[in-house]
Amino acid sequence: MKVFAISDLHLSINNPKPMDIFGPVWDGYLEAIEASWNKKVSDDDIVLIAGDLSWAMKYEDAMPDLEYISRLKGHKVFIKGNHDYWWNSISEIRSNLTNKTYAIQNDAVKIGKFVIAGSRGWTVPDNGFKSEQDEKIYRREVLRMELSLKSMQALREEGDVSIVMMHYPPLNIKRQKNEFSELFTKFGVDAVVYGHLHSYDNGYKLNFTKNKIKYHLTSCDLVKNKLVKIAEI
């Protein structure tokens, strides 16, 4: 069983949005992702999508995008991103997911020997918070991540691999420890997958290891619209 990841798909199946306005890498990007998916993924494998799945503003408008994902091969697991405005009721979302498709919110899912947790997260400060509201959202997201990791811990058995998804980068550009990274260490996370960024020339890297935890930036435009292999058992 293999685990792959990609994020920031920004789907708009029923109301196509011209993504190539953001650069040539977005020209035909969805076809490229699907080609990579079909080539690499078997029905037993797992694909993680770390947020920003759909441009839709309302859940009913996002359903065609969710249906598109569900039809693809493998187990599909996703979390909420900052642009997923359609994400309101997790019970409503889950009630309509089919074909081994899972949404995580304050909990975790176990597939084979892999236990997957995650939460949207928030901007990790470099030099303090921008405002009281900024800090409030950050603290709330830390609590949500802890809930998900506790759920992961309850599901995990000896020999399992634990993977966390987070939409926002889990570390600042200096890779300083913070509440998120401390939680990852506390709960024995093996790998972290994230997205949100659409440029890494400012110091971020696609892959690095810190405190024995592997970090993977998987925004689709940065990985050239190809699924990234995260783990295999």
Side-chain angles (χ1 to χ4, degrees):
M1 178 178 281
K2 300 175 183 177
V3 178
F4 298 94
I6 196 161
S7 69
D8 299 80
L9 302 184
H10 293 288
L11 299 177
S12 53
I13 300 298
N14 267 14
N15 186 25
K17 181 171 181 175
M19 293 296 292
D20 55 357
I21 63 173
F22 299 111
V25 70
W26 293 95
D27 185 19
Y29 82 104
L30 191 55
E31 292 81 0
I33 291 171
E34 188 170 343
S36 175
W37 197 307
N38 289 333
K39 180 179 179 180
K40 295 180 178 181
V41 180
S42 74
D43 286 334
D44 293 328
D45 293 334
I46 302 168
V47 179
L48 309 179
I49 303 174
D52 279 5
L53 189 149
S54 172
W55 278 121
M57 300 296 291
K58 299 179 179 179
Y59 173 68
E60 54 266 29
D61 296 328
M63 288 186 67
D65 301 327
L66 296 172
E67 290 168 359
Y68 170 79
I69 291 296
S70 71
R71 289 194 296 267
L72 296 172
K73 291 188 294 184
H75 302 264
K76 288 75 61 175
V77 187
F78 61 92
I79 58 169
K80 183 179 182 180
N82 65 304
H83 284 294
D84 288 316
Y85 298 111
W86 54 272
W87 187 307
N88 290 313
S89 168
I90 186 62
S91 59
E92 182 179 41
I93 293 171
R94 287 173 173 165
S95 68
N96 289 292
L97 294 179
T98 61
N99 192 28
K100 301 185 290 188
T101 307
Y102 311 89
I104 291 177
Q105 180 173 299
N106 301 337
D107 53 10
V109 61
K110 180 173 181 178
I111 304 171
K113 297 295 290 181
F114 294 100
V115 186
I116 303 155
S119 188
R120 184 191 68 172
W122 192 245
T123 302
V124 175
D126 289 318
N127 297 297
F129 295 98
K130 297 177 181 178
S131 64
E132 289 185 5
Q133 180 66 10
D134 183 46
E135 181 176 7
K136 180 180 179 180
I137 297 173
Y138 175 86
R139 301 295 178 196
R140 182 186 66 198
E141 291 298 322
V142 169
L143 291 175
R144 289 175 172 173
M145 180 63 76
E146 186 172 19
L147 286 173
S148 184
L149 290 171
K150 287 180 177 178
S151 179
M152 179 194 76
Q153 187 178 51
L155 293 172
R156 187 168 50 193
E157 299 176 293
E158 185 176 354
D160 287 349
V161 175
S162 57
I163 301 175
V164 167
M165 285 189 290
M166 187 169 167
H167 181 64
Y168 283 87
L171 296 164
N172 63 24
I173 196 169
K174 299 175 184 177
R175 299 184 193 169
Q176 296 169 314
K177 70 178 182 179
N178 58 66
E179 284 85 350
F180 290 113
S181 64
E182 292 291 277
L183 284 174
F184 300 155
T185 299
K186 175 182 176 180
F187 284 91
V189 171
D190 295 299
V192 177
V193 171
Y194 64 102
H196 187 64
L197 298 178
H198 296 287
S199 173
Y200 55 81
D201 57 3
N202 58 358
Y204 284 100
K205 293 184 178 181
L206 292 179
N207 304 287
F208 64 89
T209 300
K210 182 178 176 64
N211 295 333
K212 299 181 180 180
I213 300 172
K214 296 179 180 179
Y215 289 83
H216 303 271
L217 172 56
T218 62
S219 303
C220 64
D221 53 329
L222 297 187
V223 297
K224 299 180 179 178
N225 300 317
K226 297 179 180 179
L227 273 65
V228 178
K229 184 178 176 181
I230 305 300
E232 180 178 5
I233 293 180

